Amino acid sequence: MTGTALITGGHRGIGLGIARALHAEGFALALASEAPEDDPEVRAATVELGATYFRHDLRRDDPAALMDRVTESLGPVNTLISNAGVPAMARGDLLDMTPDSFDRCHEVNLRGAFFLAQQAAKRMIDLPDTPYRSILFVTSVSASMVSVERGEYCISKAGASMMAQLFAARLAGDGIGVFELRPGIIETGMTAAVHDSYTARIEAGLVPARRWGVPGDIGAVVAPLAAGAMRFANGAIIPVDGGLSIHRL
């Protein structure tokens, strides 16, 4: 028995790769994002996966209301994939970063993610131990690797990493697994604008695997975590980056 998974940003990119992996494992899927219901990517994802879509803005909407809607439609959520995130509004000099761009990253990547996870955790505590209960935070190698041209994103992901550790420590005694995944350079819409420049650097050895990551790479790691196959590794930080974050001379 696998249960119900709520995936923020699950209709595209890394979130869609995760949704496909969990669908293959038999999870009922709730996908949430701020995109309208008639968005072509939303419609395609729900049709492909038999998923239910819930429009939700992490910056403004009530996380308790989202959890209520999902529970009423699909039953209790035993797996939360905190995946939705936003990049810097514009890459550029750290000294030119704007408050608006800083606040946007933190409102979505930190504040919104925290309070949705808080609501999910409160409800998971009251659920039976079967099926396995878990919260997975999708952060980034930028939680520890510096990119001075998008400092607000790096700061928000470093904070999200600590958030994952805090939830792991708080929930381990309740048998709820909390894990952090750190994707590297993944081929999605978010990286489309820098695709050519990154391709050249990847081929030159920036990524030891010498290829772009794809959303399915993240999904392949998420599936056993959500199924409980790594439950005693609670709090683990897992790089999914083809070796990008390995310290090398």
Side-chain angles (χ1 to χ4, degrees), residues 3 9 29-30 32 42 47 69 73-74 91 119 128 140 156 159 171 180 219 229:
L29 298 180
V42 168
V47 169
R69 291 165 59 205
S73 179
L74 299 174
R91 292 178 181 238
Q119 280 295 320
S140 169
S156 72
L171 298 174
E180 178 191 352

Side-chain angles (χ1 to χ4, degrees), residues 179-220:
F179 304 94
E180 178 191 352
L181 285 83
R182 292 185 177 179
I185 305 172
I186 310 299
E187 198 164 19
T188 67
M190 188 179 289
T191 54
V194 293
H195 186 275
D196 291 345
S197 62
Y198 267 127
T199 295
R201 296 177 66 192
I202 289 168
E203 291 175 350
L206 174 66
V207 177
R210 293 184 182 269
R211 71 167 176 86
W212 278 83
V214 296
D217 292 323
I218 316 301

Side-chain angles (χ1 to χ4, degrees), residues 108-242:
V108 176
N109 302 350
L110 273 179
R111 186 182 186 279
F114 176 85
F115 286 105
L116 179 56
Q118 182 190 65
Q119 280 295 320
K122 288 179 177 179
R123 296 162 191 245
M124 286 182 190
I125 286 173
D126 295 328
L127 296 178
D129 289 339
T130 303
Y132 181 66
R133 297 158 297 161
S134 64
I135 299 176
L136 280 66
F137 292 92
V138 179
T139 64
S140 169
V141 292
S142 295
S144 62
M145 298 182 74
V146 170
S147 294
V148 295
E149 75 281 1
R150 51 194 184 106
E152 58 273 70
Y153 180 78
C154 295
I155 295 168
S156 72
K157 290 300 183 178
S161 179
M162 175 55 72
M163 176 169 60
Q165 293 294 292
L166 288 165
F167 274 106
R170 172 61 181 84
L171 298 174
D174 295 292
I176 299 170
V178 179
F179 304 94
E180 178 191 352
L181 285 83
R182 292 185 177 179
I185 305 172
I186 310 299
E187 198 164 19
T188 67
M190 188 179 289
T191 54
V194 293
H195 186 275
D196 291 345
S197 62
Y198 267 127
T199 295
R201 296 177 66 192
I202 289 168
E203 291 175 350
L206 174 66
V207 177
R210 293 184 182 269
R211 71 167 176 86
W212 278 83
V214 296
D217 292 323
I218 316 301
V221 175
V222 165
L225 293 172
M230 295 177 63
R231 64 185 66 202
F232 204 61
N234 207 342
I237 300 170
I238 304 171
V240 194
D241 62 8

Side-chain angles (χ1 to χ4, degrees), residues 3 16 23-24 27 32 39 43 68 90 103 107 112 122 126 141 152 159 163 169 173 213 236:
L16 180 57
H23 173 69
F27 280 85
D39 180 280
R43 295 176 65 180
D68 287 342
D103 290 347
E107 286 170 359
K122 288 179 177 179
D126 295 328
V141 292
E152 58 273 70
M163 176 169 60

Side-chain angles (χ1 to χ4, degrees), residues 88-106 147-156:
M89 293 173 72
R91 292 178 181 238
D93 192 331
L94 182 72
L95 304 184
D96 294 326
M97 183 196 303
T98 66
D100 285 346
S101 186
F102 184 94
D103 290 347
R104 177 173 174 264
C105 276
H106 285 69
S147 294
V148 295
E149 75 281 1
R150 51 194 184 106
E152 58 273 70
Y153 180 78
C154 295
I155 295 168
S156 72

Side-chain angles (χ1 to χ4, degrees), residues 13-27:
I14 290 174
L16 180 57
I18 293 171
R20 285 171 171 155
L22 295 185
H23 173 69
E25 294 295 321
F27 280 85

